[in-house]
Amino acid sequence: MRTAIFPGSFDPFTAGHLDVLDSALKLFDKVIVAVGYNSNKARSGFFPVDIRMKIIKDSVKQYGKKVDVCCYKELTIELCHKLGVNFIVRGLRTTTDFEFEGVIAQANRVMDPEIVTVYVQASHHFSFISSTVVRDVLIHNGDATPFMPEGVDLKKYIKAKKENS
């Protein structure tokens, strides 16, 4: 079975991320969406990691066992070793993404030449969507629904975030 890791901060997971995941599932039998975070940065991110994971799980229900969700603190390459995975999926929206991701892929390749980074181009109608845009909309009390996977109601997650604060 060909398995890949799709790592990111996913703060929050967007329709663009889902688009990349959908394409990755055409290449791999299983994809593990891996939420990376730095435990040394207390309260980092818009959503806490547990809520990010809930958003992702709500977003990927239709894929069943083809998608797993986990969180990790170590280097992505170390997570690959831990899970026995040799592929990393990275989504590309712009040429800036390509340059940034290329540097990371090269560093990973030096650390382990057996682990391959696979780039998946976001569909053109999702290429402008980023977690940063969604967070900005949310911070300014806007409606981020058009940027989210279908059926994901961010209001309940914002409420949960406030209750946990």
Side-chain angles (χ1 to χ4, degrees), residues 14-52:
T14 68
H17 293 125
L18 188 64
D19 176 63
V20 169
L21 176 61
D22 188 59
S23 293
L25 285 167
K26 293 174 182 161
L27 301 170
F28 299 99
D29 302 307
K30 184 175 190 172
V31 176
I32 301 166
V33 181
V35 180
Y37 71 101
N38 185 339
S39 60
N40 295 327
K41 294 182 181 177
R43 316 274 302 145
S44 66
F46 184 81
F47 286 109
V49 171
D50 62 325
I51 292 178
R52 291 184 221 175

Side-chain angles (χ1 to χ4, degrees), residues 8-134:
S9 58
F10 304 113
D11 191 21
F13 190 82
T14 68
H17 293 125
L18 188 64
D19 176 63
V20 169
L21 176 61
D22 188 59
S23 293
L25 285 167
K26 293 174 182 161
L27 301 170
F28 299 99
D29 302 307
K30 184 175 190 172
V31 176
I32 301 166
V33 181
V35 180
Y37 71 101
N38 185 339
S39 60
N40 295 327
K41 294 182 181 177
R43 316 274 302 145
S44 66
F46 184 81
F47 286 109
V49 171
D50 62 325
I51 292 178
R52 291 184 221 175
M53 291 181 64
K54 287 177 185 174
I55 293 169
I56 296 167
K57 287 176 183 178
D58 280 354
S59 300
V60 302
K61 286 179 184 176
Q62 70 272 25
Y63 297 116
K65 294 183 180 187
K66 292 177 75 174
V67 175
D68 278 341
V69 181
C70 72
C71 65
Y72 70 106
K73 298 175 188 173
E74 65 264 41
L75 291 171
T76 302
I77 208 84
E78 292 172 3
L79 179 65
C80 289
H81 293 154
K82 182 173 147 182
L83 299 177
V85 174
N86 289 330
F87 299 97
I88 298 171
V89 170
R90 297 302 296 167
L92 300 177
R93 293 172 294 134
T94 64
T95 55
T96 304
D97 285 350
F98 180 76
E99 289 176 14
F100 176 75
E101 294 298 341
V103 170
I104 294 170
Q106 289 173 355
N108 285 338
R109 194 67 175 235
V110 167
M111 289 186 279
D112 189 333
E114 297 302 312
I115 296 177
V116 177
T117 299
V118 177
Y119 300 110
V120 176
Q121 185 71 39
S123 301
H124 73 280
H125 47 282
F126 293 109
S127 64
F128 71 95
I129 299 173
S130 69
S131 294
T132 303
V133 168
V134 172

